[in-house]
Amino acid sequence: GLFRPYCNILSSLKDIHSVHIEEPYLSSNNLTTGEGKYIFDFYGNLCNKIKKPIYVFTYGKTNSWIINLPVNGIGLNLLESDVVSIISDFHLDKKLFAGFISDKKLTEKEKNHIKEINAIDDLDVSISNAKPLSYYDNQNIVLENFKQLKDINK
């Protein structure tokens, strides 16, 4: 498996503060129970072994079980997910990377969700892109959306 190579590589990187791992497959509805258990065990063991914060990002529609992964933070595509349900079940001991930014102009509904999420006491949240930046055709709108964030929280 990948556990030992991941541990060896990540443990050898002494100057890193945290680890960002992209896992687009986690948003698949095709995961078996065995795969789900393997993924939970893998990340739980990896966090215990390397002693650095691990943040897992998935970019598709968010399955509710993802928020329970034993990692320090989770990046979710909230443009394609039930924001209210996910946020109400999110563990406050994790960092949330709330993926609202894309190459389409932010809607009023999305802006309101961002305000609501930022207003939750004790939630460590960063608003992020919903998918890898390389997926987007219009980088200018992506940048404009990020620039809007400072005005959304006023």
Side-chain angles (χ1 to χ4, degrees), residues 12 24 33 35 49 67 69 72 74 106 128 133 141 150:
S12 71
T33 303
E35 289 172 319
K49 183 77 171 168
I67 62 175
L69 275 176
N72 303 90
I74 300 175
L106 282 169
S128 68
L133 293 175
I141 292 179
K150 67 180 179 201

Side-chain angles (χ1 to χ4, degrees), residues 96-154:
L96 172 63
F97 296 89
F100 281 105
I101 304 298
S102 73
D103 64 349
K104 294 184 177 39
K105 193 167 172 73
L106 282 169
T107 66
E108 287 305 311
K109 181 178 179 181
E110 292 160 356
K111 290 177 186 179
N112 287 334
H113 281 312
I114 291 169
K115 286 179 187 177
E116 291 166 10
I117 288 171
N118 280 329
I120 298 172
D121 289 336
D122 300 323
L123 179 63
D124 185 6
V125 64
S126 292
I127 305 302
S128 68
N129 41 300
K131 294 186 178 188
L133 293 175
S134 61
Y135 279 49
Y136 299 126
D137 294 326
N138 193 331
Q139 300 294 322
N140 290 330
I141 292 179
V142 172
L143 292 174
E144 281 302 314
N145 284 337
F146 274 112
K147 288 177 185 176
Q148 284 184 59
L149 292 177
K150 67 180 179 201
D151 297 327
I152 289 174
N153 292 315
K154 288 185 178 178

Side-chain angles (χ1 to χ4, degrees), residues 77-93:
N77 176 344
L78 295 179
L79 294 175
E80 298 179 20
S81 304
D82 179 359
V83 175
V84 175
S85 171
I86 289 168
I87 297 308
S88 66
D89 293 336
F90 199 80
H91 300 271
L92 295 178
D93 62 338

Side-chain angles (χ1 to χ4, degrees), residues 15-32:
D15 294 332
I16 64 168
H17 173 273
S18 59
V19 179
H20 168 135
I21 300 174
E22 294 189 9
E23 288 277 16
Y25 187 65
L26 294 183
S27 58
S28 168
N29 288 323
N30 299 326
L31 287 173
T32 66

